[in-house]
Amino acid sequence: MARWTASDMPRLTGTTAVVTGANSGIGAVTALLLARAGARTVLACRDEGRGRAAAERVRRAAPGADVRLVPLDLADLASVRRAVPLLAAAGDGRLELLVNNAGVMALPLRRTVDGFEMQFGTNHLGHFALTGLLGGALRAGSARVVNVSSLAHRIGGLDLADPNAEHTPYDRWRAYGASKLANLLFTDELHRRAAAAGAPLTVTAAHPGLSSTELGQAAPVMEGRRGMARLERATRLFTQPAARGALPVLRAATDPAAAGGAYFGPDGPLEVRGTGAARARRSAASRDPLTAAALWETSVTLTGVDPAAALTGDD
């Protein structure tokens, strides 16, 4: 199927789906449509107040849906560890779908609770650890994992000798691109290792093109630049609504024909916008198996979590 829309979504009755960063934007739309399709839907959100409000919106828009909230701050590995048993319990010990959607973009240099550069730490390392720690529940559910990347992966270059920008000059956009490149490298490496272990896990990825969300507000608000915050909101006139940006994510999450390693984006010109989801293009750097393997080992060292153990049942 070259083009895919929300009408192509299968029924998801009996599925438990976790969506990170589901309180707004692409994550909120994804959670809503998964709930409407019959999935028990778990919103994993950093801000509990906004998460509760988002969960209530989903319940109102999808009457009868089983919608739950679990606090999760991907910039704090202790929070990730606290969330894992709650997320697993939401699916009675098995999860069929994990959408690694939450992220931050183009922030000034900041560090996570554990000392990681904020974008690499939140967008990649937090999700790497979450996926690994949920391994038992994912394996039990013969699950699908979806990593949400970005067009910006094409501008990123990973420096695995200094992944947390401790010794080299920091560029916020290159750091963002590097974190999104890491999402695709992790997708491929997790897919390869799952296949080699014979684990019942499908790993896909997607990007939303240029979509109207709150993602661009964090940096100007953090720096007190109100004018830039207003300008960022104005630029959304040239982007597509989040409902369309979520379509590639939903295809990566639910299309039965999507094989491991598949990558989807908007079906319009340059993958910037579209009315459906189609196969997306990737940079050569995002396909490098040596870099993917090295990133995996670096991520294990930094987080203390090895998803490979979950693939073999040794977690």
Side-chain angles (χ1 to χ4, degrees):
M1 185 187 300
R3 181 174 178 273
W4 186 98
T5 67
S7 64
D8 294 304
M9 282 182 66
R11 290 297 300 171
L12 300 174
T13 305
T15 295
T16 300
V18 173
V19 183
T20 68
N23 58 280
S24 66
I26 302 302
V29 175
T30 299
L32 171 58
L33 292 187
L34 292 174
R36 281 181 172 169
R40 175 186 295 170
T41 306
V42 186
L43 285 65
C45 303
R46 179 182 60 82
D47 187 315
E48 290 189 58
R50 295 181 67 192
R52 282 192 294 272
E56 186 54 37
R57 287 194 296 272
V58 173
R59 292 187 187 102
R60 288 198 302 267
D66 186 346
V67 182
R68 309 185 185 194
L69 172 68
V70 169
L72 169 67
D73 183 353
L74 291 159
D76 181 352
L77 291 180
S79 174
V80 174
R81 290 183 180 277
R82 287 193 298 271
V84 164
L86 301 176
L87 294 170
D92 300 321
R94 54 184 292 140
L95 298 175
E96 284 77 23
L97 178 60
L98 170 62
V99 181
N100 289 325
N101 161 80
V104 292
M105 182 179 75
L107 299 184
L109 181 58
R110 296 290 189 276
R111 303 210 174 271
T112 70
V113 171
D114 303 283
F116 308 137
E117 186 275 312
M118 184 65 76
Q119 298 188 86
F120 183 67
T122 301
N123 299 351
H124 169 63
L125 291 175
H127 282 127
F128 180 91
L130 178 67
T131 304
L133 292 168
L134 282 173
L138 294 170
R139 190 175 63 248
S142 298
R144 184 175 298 199
V145 175
V146 180
N147 293 317
V148 180
S149 184
S150 166
L151 286 167
H153 87 270
R154 300 172 188 170
I155 66 171
L158 275 174
D159 181 0
L160 293 179
D162 187 26
N164 291 306
E166 295 172 309
H167 309 293
T168 52
Y170 178 76
D171 180 290
R172 67 180 72 196
W173 279 106
R174 283 188 61 82
Y176 176 66
S179 72
K180 297 287 100 180
L181 174 59
N183 293 153
L184 288 177
L185 291 167
F186 175 44
T187 296
D188 280 0
E189 190 66 13
L190 182 59
H191 166 59
R192 279 192 289 267
R193 293 186 183 230
L201 189 69
T202 301
V203 192
T204 61
H207 78 82
L210 299 183
S211 298
S212 178
T213 71
E214 294 296 313
L215 190 61
Q217 285 290 295
V221 169
M222 188 178 291
E223 296 175 304
R225 297 184 297 158
R226 296 182 180 179
M228 285 300 296
R230 288 192 294 271
L231 178 61
E232 190 279 330
R233 286 193 293 272
T235 64
R236 299 183 198 177
L237 294 173
F238 305 99
T239 60
Q240 66 178 350
R244 289 190 177 179
L247 292 176
V249 179
L250 288 161
R251 182 173 185 181
T254 68
D255 184 351
Y263 181 45
F264 299 101
D267 63 354
L270 303 177
E271 302 175 16
V272 170
R273 63 177 67 217
T275 57
R279 289 279 186 166
R281 294 182 298 112
R282 294 175 52 167
S283 68
S286 74
R287 297 180 178 276
D288 183 358
L290 296 180
T291 304
L295 172 64
W296 182 284
E297 297 306 326
T298 297
S299 303
V300 170
T301 298
L302 291 173
T303 65
V305 177
D306 186 355
L311 300 179
T312 59
D314 295 329
D315 52 322

